[in-house]
Structure formats: C-alpha cells, structure tokens
Coordinates of all heavy atoms in Angstrom, one line a residue:
M93 N -129.5 -153.4 -195.3 CA -129.7 -152.0 -195.6 C -130.0 -151.2 -194.4 O -130.7 -151.6 -193.5 CB -130.8 -151.8 -196.7 CG -130.4 -152.2 -198.1 SD -131.6 -151.6 -199.3 CE -132.9 -152.8 -199.0
P94 N -129.5 -150.0 -194.3 CA -129.8 -149.1 -193.1 C -131.2 -148.5 -193.2 O -131.8 -148.4 -194.3 CB -128.7 -148.0 -193.3 CG -128.4 -148.0 -194.7 CD -128.6 -149.3 -195.3
I95 N -131.7 -148.2 -192.1 CA -133.1 -147.6 -192.0 C -132.9 -146.0 -191.9 O -132.1 -145.5 -191.1 CB -133.9 -148.1 -190.8 CG1 -134.1 -149.5 -191.0 CG2 -135.2 -147.3 -190.6 CD1 -134.8 -150.2 -189.8
Y96 N -133.6 -145.4 -192.8 CA -133.6 -143.9 -192.7 C -135.0 -143.3 -192.3 O -136.0 -144.0 -192.6 CB -133.2 -143.3 -194.1 CG -131.8 -143.7 -194.5 CD1 -131.7 -144.8 -195.4 CD2 -130.8 -143.1 -194.0 CE1 -130.4 -145.2 -195.7 CE2 -129.4 -143.5 -194.3 CZ -129.3 -144.6 -195.2 OH -128.0 -145.0 -195.6
E97 N -135.0 -142.2 -191.7 CA -136.2 -141.6 -191.1 C -136.5 -140.4 -192.0 O -135.7 -139.6 -192.3 CB -135.9 -141.2 -189.7 CG -137.2 -140.9 -188.9 CD -136.9 -140.7 -187.5 OE1 -135.8 -140.8 -187.0 OE2 -137.9 -140.4 -186.8
Y98 N -137.8 -140.2 -192.3 CA -138.3 -139.1 -193.1 C -139.4 -138.4 -192.4 O -140.2 -139.1 -191.6 CB -138.8 -139.7 -194.4 CG -137.7 -140.3 -195.3 CD1 -137.3 -141.6 -195.0 CD2 -137.0 -139.5 -196.2 CE1 -136.2 -142.1 -195.8 CE2 -136.0 -140.1 -196.9 CZ -135.6 -141.4 -196.7 OH -134.5 -142.0 -197.4
V99 N -139.5 -137.1 -192.6 CA -140.7 -136.4 -192.1 C -141.4 -135.6 -193.3 O -140.7 -135.0 -194.1 CB -140.2 -135.3 -191.1 CG1 -141.3 -134.4 -190.7 CG2 -139.7 -136.0 -189.8
C100 N -142.7 -135.8 -193.3 CA -143.4 -135.2 -194.4 C -143.7 -133.8 -194.0 O -144.1 -133.5 -192.9 CB -144.8 -136.0 -194.5 SG -145.9 -135.1 -195.7
P101 N -143.4 -132.8 -195.0 CA -143.6 -131.4 -194.7 C -145.1 -131.0 -194.7 O -145.4 -130.0 -194.1 CB -142.9 -130.7 -195.8 CG -142.9 -131.7 -196.9 CD -142.8 -133.1 -196.3
K102 N -145.9 -131.8 -195.2 CA -147.4 -131.5 -195.3 C -148.2 -132.0 -194.1 O -148.9 -131.2 -193.5 CB -147.9 -132.1 -196.6 CG -149.3 -131.6 -196.9 CD -149.8 -132.1 -198.2 CE -151.2 -131.5 -198.5 NZ -151.7 -132.1 -199.7
C103 N -148.0 -133.2 -193.8 CA -148.8 -133.7 -192.7 C -148.0 -134.1 -191.4 O -148.5 -134.6 -190.4 CB -149.6 -135.0 -193.2 SG -148.6 -136.4 -193.5
S104 N -146.7 -133.8 -191.5 CA -145.8 -134.0 -190.4 C -145.7 -135.4 -189.9 O -145.2 -135.7 -188.8 CB -146.2 -133.1 -189.2 OG -146.1 -131.7 -189.5
S105 N -146.1 -136.3 -190.7 CA -146.0 -137.7 -190.3 C -144.5 -138.2 -190.5 O -143.8 -137.7 -191.3 CB -146.9 -138.6 -191.2 OG -146.2 -139.4 -192.0
R106 N -144.1 -138.9 -189.5 CA -142.7 -139.4 -189.5 C -142.7 -141.0 -189.9 O -143.5 -141.7 -189.3 CB -142.2 -139.3 -188.0 CG -140.9 -138.7 -187.9 CD -140.6 -138.4 -186.4 NE -140.0 -137.1 -186.3 CZ -138.7 -136.9 -186.2 NH1 -137.9 -137.8 -186.1 NH2 -138.3 -135.6 -186.1
F107 N -141.9 -141.3 -190.8 CA -141.8 -142.7 -191.1 C -140.4 -143.2 -191.4 O -139.5 -142.4 -191.7 CB -142.8 -143.0 -192.2 CG -142.5 -142.3 -193.5 CD1 -141.7 -142.9 -194.5 CD2 -142.8 -141.0 -193.6 CE1 -141.4 -142.2 -195.7 CE2 -142.5 -140.3 -194.8 CZ -141.8 -140.9 -195.8
E108 N -140.3 -144.5 -191.3 CA -138.9 -145.0 -191.6 C -138.9 -145.9 -192.8 O -139.9 -146.5 -193.1 CB -138.5 -145.9 -190.4 CG -138.2 -145.0 -189.2 CD -137.9 -145.8 -188.0 OE1 -138.2 -147.0 -188.0 OE2 -137.3 -145.3 -187.0
L109 N -137.8 -145.8 -193.5 CA -137.7 -146.6 -194.7 C -136.4 -147.4 -194.8 O -135.3 -146.8 -194.4 CB -137.7 -145.7 -196.0 CG -139.1 -145.4 -196.6 CD1 -138.8 -144.6 -197.9 CD2 -139.9 -146.6 -196.9
L110 N -136.4 -148.6 -195.3 CA -135.2 -149.4 -195.5 C -134.8 -149.1 -196.9 O -135.5 -149.4 -197.8 CB -135.6 -150.8 -195.3 CG -134.6 -151.8 -194.9 CD1 -133.9 -151.4 -193.6 CD2 -135.1 -153.2 -194.8
R111 N -133.6 -148.4 -197.0 CA -133.2 -148.0 -198.3 C -131.6 -148.4 -198.4 O -130.9 -148.4 -197.4 CB -133.4 -146.6 -198.6 CG -134.8 -146.1 -198.5 CD -134.8 -144.7 -198.9 NE -135.6 -144.5 -200.1 CZ -135.8 -143.4 -200.7 NH1 -135.4 -142.2 -200.2 NH2 -136.5 -143.4 -201.9
S112 N -131.2 -148.4 -199.7 CA -129.8 -148.5 -199.9 C -129.2 -147.1 -199.6 O -129.9 -146.1 -199.7 CB -129.4 -149.0 -201.3 OG -129.8 -148.0 -202.2
M113 N -127.9 -147.1 -199.3 CA -127.2 -145.8 -199.0 C -127.3 -144.8 -200.1 O -127.4 -143.6 -200.0 CB -125.8 -146.0 -198.6 CG -125.7 -146.7 -197.2 SD -124.0 -146.9 -196.7 CE -123.6 -145.3 -196.1
S114 N -127.3 -145.3 -201.3 CA -127.3 -144.4 -202.5 C -128.7 -143.7 -202.6 O -128.8 -142.7 -203.3 CB -127.0 -145.2 -203.8 OG -128.0 -146.2 -204.0
Q115 N -129.7 -144.2 -202.0 CA -131.1 -143.6 -202.1 C -131.3 -142.8 -200.9 O -132.4 -142.1 -200.8 CB -132.1 -144.7 -202.2 CG -132.2 -145.5 -203.4 CD -133.2 -146.6 -203.3 OE1 -133.1 -147.5 -202.5 NE2 -134.2 -146.5 -204.2
A116 N -130.4 -142.8 -199.9 CA -130.7 -142.2 -198.6 C -131.1 -140.7 -198.7 O -132.0 -140.2 -197.9 CB -129.5 -142.3 -197.7
N117 N -130.5 -140.0 -199.6 CA -130.8 -138.5 -199.7 C -131.9 -138.1 -200.7 O -132.2 -137.0 -200.8 CB -129.5 -137.8 -200.1 CG -128.4 -137.8 -199.0 OD1 -128.8 -137.7 -197.8 ND2 -127.2 -138.0 -199.3
E118 N -132.5 -139.2 -201.2 CA -133.6 -138.9 -202.1 C -134.9 -138.7 -201.3 O -135.1 -139.3 -200.2 CB -133.8 -140.0 -203.1 CG -132.6 -140.1 -204.0 CD -132.7 -141.4 -205.0 OE1 -133.8 -141.9 -205.0 OE2 -131.8 -141.8 -205.5
D119 N -135.8 -137.9 -201.8 CA -137.1 -137.7 -201.1 C -137.9 -139.0 -201.2 O -137.7 -139.8 -202.2 CB -137.9 -136.6 -201.8 CG -137.2 -135.3 -201.6 OD1 -136.4 -135.1 -200.7 OD2 -137.6 -134.4 -202.4
A120 N -138.7 -139.3 -200.2 CA -139.4 -140.5 -200.2 C -140.9 -140.1 -200.0 O -141.3 -139.1 -199.4 CB -139.1 -141.3 -198.9
P121 N -141.8 -140.8 -200.7 CA -143.2 -140.5 -200.7 C -143.8 -140.8 -199.4 O -143.7 -141.9 -198.8 CB -143.8 -141.4 -201.8 CG -142.8 -142.5 -202.0 CD -141.5 -141.9 -201.6
C122 N -144.6 -139.8 -198.9 CA -145.2 -140.0 -197.5 C -146.3 -141.1 -197.6 O -147.1 -141.0 -198.6 CB -145.8 -138.6 -197.2 SG -146.9 -138.7 -195.7
P123 N -146.4 -142.0 -196.7 CA -147.4 -143.0 -196.8 C -148.8 -142.5 -196.6 O -149.8 -143.1 -196.9 CB -147.0 -144.0 -195.7 CG -146.1 -143.2 -194.8 CD -145.4 -142.2 -195.6
Q124 N -148.9 -141.3 -196.0 CA -150.2 -140.7 -195.6 C -150.8 -139.9 -196.8 O -152.0 -140.1 -197.2 CB -150.1 -139.8 -194.5 CG -149.5 -140.4 -193.2 CD -150.5 -141.2 -192.4 OE1 -151.6 -141.1 -192.6 NE2 -149.9 -142.0 -191.5
C125 N -149.9 -139.1 -197.4 CA -150.5 -138.1 -198.4 C -149.7 -138.1 -199.6 O -149.9 -137.3 -200.6 CB -150.5 -136.7 -197.8 SG -148.9 -136.1 -197.4
Q126 N -148.6 -139.0 -199.8 CA -147.9 -139.1 -201.0 C -146.9 -137.8 -201.3 O -146.5 -137.8 -202.4 CB -148.7 -139.4 -202.2 CG -149.7 -140.6 -201.9 CD -149.1 -141.9 -201.4 OE1 -148.0 -142.3 -201.9 NE2 -149.6 -142.4 -200.3
Q127 N -146.9 -136.9 -200.4 CA -146.0 -135.8 -200.7 C -144.6 -136.3 -200.5 O -144.3 -137.3 -199.9 CB -146.2 -134.7 -199.6 CG -147.5 -133.9 -199.9 CD -147.4 -133.1 -201.1 OE1 -146.5 -132.3 -201.3 NE2 -148.4 -133.3 -202.0
K128 N -143.6 -135.6 -201.1 CA -142.2 -135.9 -201.0 C -141.8 -135.5 -199.6 O -141.8 -134.3 -199.2 CB -141.4 -135.2 -202.0 CG -141.6 -135.8 -203.4 CD -140.7 -135.1 -204.4 CE -140.8 -135.8 -205.8 NZ -140.0 -135.0 -206.8
A129 N -141.3 -136.5 -198.8 CA -140.9 -136.2 -197.5 C -139.3 -136.2 -197.5 O -138.6 -136.9 -198.2 CB -141.3 -137.4 -196.5
K130 N -138.8 -135.3 -196.6 CA -137.4 -135.1 -196.5 C -136.8 -136.0 -195.5 O -137.4 -136.3 -194.4 CB -137.0 -133.6 -196.1 CG -137.4 -132.6 -197.1 CD -136.4 -132.7 -198.3 CE -136.7 -131.6 -199.3 NZ -135.8 -131.7 -200.5
R131 N -135.6 -136.4 -195.7 CA -134.9 -137.3 -194.8 C -134.5 -136.5 -193.6 O -134.1 -135.3 -193.7 CB -133.7 -137.9 -195.4 CG -132.9 -138.8 -194.5 CD -131.7 -139.3 -195.2 NE -130.8 -139.9 -194.2 CZ -129.4 -139.9 -194.3 NH1 -128.9 -139.3 -195.4 NH2 -128.7 -140.4 -193.4
V132 N -134.7 -137.1 -192.4 CA -134.1 -136.4 -191.2 C -133.1 -137.3 -190.5 O -133.1 -138.5 -190.7 CB -135.2 -136.1 -190.2 CG1 -136.2 -135.1 -190.6 CG2 -136.0 -137.4 -189.8
L133 N -132.2 -136.8 -189.9 CA -131.2 -137.5 -189.2 C -131.8 -138.2 -187.9 O -132.6 -137.6 -187.3 CB -130.0 -136.7 -188.7 CG -129.1 -136.1 -189.8 CD1 -128.2 -135.1 -189.3 CD2 -128.5 -137.2 -190.6
S134 N -131.5 -139.4 -187.8 CA -132.0 -140.2 -186.6 C -131.4 -139.6 -185.4 O -130.4 -138.8 -185.4 CB -131.6 -141.6 -186.7 OG -130.3 -141.8 -186.6
V135 N -132.0 -139.9 -184.2 CA -131.4 -139.5 -182.9 C -130.0 -140.0 -182.8 O -129.1 -139.2 -182.3 CB -132.3 -140.1 -181.8 CG1 -131.6 -139.7 -180.4 CG2 -133.7 -139.4 -181.8
F136 N -129.8 -141.2 -183.2 CA -128.4 -141.8 -183.1 C -127.4 -141.0 -183.9 O -126.4 -140.6 -183.4 CB -128.4 -143.2 -183.6 CG -127.1 -143.9 -183.5 CD1 -126.6 -144.3 -182.3 CD2 -126.3 -144.0 -184.6 CE1 -125.4 -144.9 -182.2 CE2 -125.0 -144.6 -184.5 CZ -124.6 -145.1 -183.3
A137 N -127.7 -140.6 -185.1 CA -126.8 -139.8 -186.0 C -126.6 -138.4 -185.3 O -125.5 -137.8 -185.4 CB -127.4 -139.6 -187.4
G138 N -127.6 -137.8 -184.8 CA -127.5 -136.5 -184.1 C -126.5 -136.6 -183.0 O -125.7 -135.7 -182.8
L139 N -126.6 -137.6 -182.2 CA -125.7 -137.8 -181.1 C -124.3 -137.9 -181.5 O -123.4 -137.4 -181.0 CB -126.2 -139.0 -180.2 CG -127.3 -138.8 -179.4 CD1 -127.7 -140.1 -178.6 CD2 -127.1 -137.7 -178.3
A140 N -124.1 -138.7 -182.6 CA -122.7 -138.9 -183.0 C -122.1 -137.6 -183.5 O -121.0 -137.3 -183.3 CB -122.8 -139.9 -184.2
R141 N -123.0 -136.8 -184.2 CA -122.5 -135.5 -184.7 C -122.1 -134.6 -183.5 O -121.1 -133.9 -183.5 CB -123.5 -134.9 -185.6 CG -122.9 -133.9 -186.5 CD -123.9 -133.6 -187.6 NE -125.1 -133.0 -187.1 CZ -126.0 -132.4 -187.8 NH1 -125.7 -132.1 -189.1 NH2 -127.1 -131.9 -187.3
N142 N -122.9 -134.6 -182.4 CA -122.6 -133.8 -181.3 C -121.3 -134.3 -180.7 O -120.5 -133.5 -180.2 CB -123.7 -133.9 -180.2 CG -125.0 -133.1 -180.7 OD1 -124.9 -132.3 -181.6 ND2 -126.1 -133.4 -180.1
G143 N -121.1 -135.5 -180.7 CA -119.8 -136.1 -180.1 C -118.6 -135.6 -180.9 O -117.6 -135.3 -180.3
D144 N -118.8 -135.6 -182.2 CA -117.6 -135.1 -182.9 C -117.3 -133.6 -182.6 O -116.2 -133.2 -182.5 CB -117.9 -135.2 -184.5 CG -117.9 -136.6 -184.9 OD1 -117.4 -137.5 -184.1 OD2 -118.5 -136.9 -186.0
G145 N -118.4 -132.8 -182.5 CA -118.2 -131.4 -182.2 C -117.5 -131.2 -180.8 O -116.6 -130.4 -180.7
L146 N -117.9 -132.0 -179.9 CA -117.3 -132.0 -178.5 C -115.8 -132.3 -178.6 O -115.0 -131.7 -178.0 CB -118.0 -133.0 -177.6 CG -117.8 -132.8 -176.1 CD1 -118.3 -131.5 -175.7 CD2 -118.5 -134.0 -175.4
T147 N -115.5 -133.4 -179.4 CA -114.1 -133.9 -179.5 C -113.2 -132.8 -180.1 O -112.2 -132.5 -179.6 CB -114.0 -135.1 -180.4 OG1 -114.8 -136.1 -179.8 CG2 -112.6 -135.6 -180.4
S148 N -113.7 -132.2 -181.2 CA -112.9 -131.2 -181.9 C -112.8 -129.9 -181.1 O -111.7 -129.3 -181.0 CB -113.6 -130.8 -183.3 OG -114.8 -130.3 -183.1
S149 N -113.8 -129.5 -180.3 CA -113.7 -128.3 -179.4 C -112.8 -128.6 -178.3 O -112.0 -127.7 -177.8 CB -115.0 -127.9 -178.9 OG -115.6 -128.8 -178.0
L150 N -112.7 -129.8 -177.8 CA -111.8 -130.2 -176.7 C -110.4 -130.4 -177.2 O -109.4 -130.2 -176.5 CB -112.3 -131.4 -176.0 CG -113.4 -131.2 -175.0 CD1 -113.8 -132.5 -174.4 CD2 -113.1 -130.2 -173.9
G151 N -110.3 -130.8 -178.6 CA -109.0 -131.2 -179.1 C -108.0 -130.0 -179.0 O -107.1 -130.1 -178.3
G152 N -108.3 -129.0 -179.8 CA -107.6 -127.7 -179.7 C -106.1 -127.9 -179.7 O -105.4 -127.1 -179.1
G153 N -105.5 -128.9 -180.3 CA -104.0 -129.0 -180.3 C -103.5 -129.9 -179.3 O -102.3 -130.3 -179.4
S154 N -104.3 -130.4 -178.4 CA -103.7 -131.3 -177.4 C -103.8 -132.7 -178.0 O -104.5 -132.9 -179.1 CB -104.5 -131.3 -176.1 OG -105.8 -131.7 -176.3
C155 N -103.2 -133.7 -177.4 CA -103.1 -135.0 -178.0 C -104.3 -135.9 -177.7 O -104.4 -137.0 -178.2 CB -101.8 -135.7 -177.6 SG -101.8 -136.1 -175.8
G156 N -105.1 -135.5 -176.8 CA -106.3 -136.3 -176.4 C -106.0 -137.1 -175.2 O -106.9 -137.6 -174.5
G157 N -104.7 -137.3 -174.9 CA -104.4 -138.1 -173.7 C -104.2 -137.2 -172.5 O -103.8 -137.6 -171.5
C158 N -104.3 -135.9 -172.8 CA -104.1 -134.9 -171.7 C -105.1 -133.9 -171.7 O -105.9 -133.8 -172.6 CB -102.7 -134.3 -172.0 SG -102.6 -133.3 -173.5
S159 N -105.2 -133.0 -170.7 CA -106.1 -131.9 -170.8 C -105.4 -130.9 -171.7 O -104.3 -131.0 -172.2 CB -106.2 -131.4 -169.3 OG -105.0 -130.8 -168.9
A160 N -106.1 -129.7 -171.9 CA -105.7 -128.7 -172.9 C -104.4 -128.0 -172.5 O -103.9 -127.2 -173.2 CB -106.8 -127.8 -173.1
T161 N -103.9 -128.3 -171.3 CA -102.7 -127.6 -170.8 C -101.4 -128.3 -171.3 O -100.3 -127.8 -171.0 CB -102.7 -127.5 -169.3 OG1 -102.8 -128.9 -168.8 CG2 -103.8 -126.7 -168.8
G162 N -101.5 -129.4 -171.9 CA -100.3 -130.0 -172.5 C -99.8 -131.2 -171.7 O -100.1 -131.3 -170.5
C163 N -99.0 -132.0 -172.3 CA -98.3 -133.1 -171.7 C -97.1 -133.5 -172.5 O -96.7 -132.9 -173.5 CB -99.3 -134.3 -171.6 SG -99.7 -135.1 -173.2
D164 N -96.5 -134.6 -172.1 CA -95.2 -135.0 -172.8 C -95.4 -135.4 -174.2 O -94.5 -135.3 -175.0 CB -94.6 -136.2 -172.0 CG -94.0 -135.7 -170.7 OD1 -93.8 -134.4 -170.6 OD2 -93.7 -136.5 -169.8
S165 N -96.6 -136.0 -174.5 CA -96.8 -136.6 -175.8 C -97.4 -135.6 -176.8 O -97.6 -135.9 -178.0 CB -97.7 -137.8 -175.8 OG -98.9 -137.6 -175.1
C166 N -97.7 -134.4 -176.4 CA -98.0 -133.4 -177.4 C -97.2 -132.1 -177.2 O -96.4 -132.0 -176.2 CB -99.5 -133.0 -177.2 SG -100.0 -132.3 -175.7
S167 N -97.2 -131.3 -178.2 CA -96.1 -130.2 -178.3 C -96.6 -128.9 -177.8 O -96.0 -127.9 -178.1 CB -95.7 -130.1 -179.8 OG -96.8 -129.8 -180.6
I168 N -97.6 -128.8 -177.0 CA -98.0 -127.5 -176.4 C -96.9 -127.0 -175.5 O -96.5 -127.7 -174.5 CB -99.3 -127.6 -175.7 CG1 -100.4 -128.0 -176.7 CG2 -99.7 -126.2 -175.0 CD1 -101.8 -128.1 -176.1
Ligands
ZN320 ZN1 -147.7 -136.6 -195.6

C-alpha cells in the first residue's frame, strides 16, 4: 500500500499513513488532536506534477525529439 501524507489544519502536525488508494482522498484523524487532517501531496508527487507541466509547455506541437523550431519527424 502507498504512503500518504496528511497535515492537520488545527495543530499543523504532519503525519504519514499507509492506506489503500481508495482511502487516499479521505480525511485522516490527526494523531495529536484527532481533528480531520487533509491529505497533502508528497514532495515526490509535486515534482512529478511540475515535470508534466514542463513537458507540456515545451511540447507545443513539436515531436519531443527536436526543439520547438521543428524537425523531419514533426509537421511544423
Ligand atoms: Zn492535529
């Protein structure tokens, strides 16, 4: 099972939980104060998301094997 990270809105405590993916978006009780803590994206997931944004902004119709100015394998 993957590990998910949660931050408590009341005491700001950060904790990790081993959960099934179907439970990932559910609130988890804070171990300190039992408030419902929201899931936060891990550093790893944040990096992956930035990577996607970078790829799509660079993509822009090029084939990925060339710079944005075009090449033989793309139709720019
Ligand atoms: Zn708390």
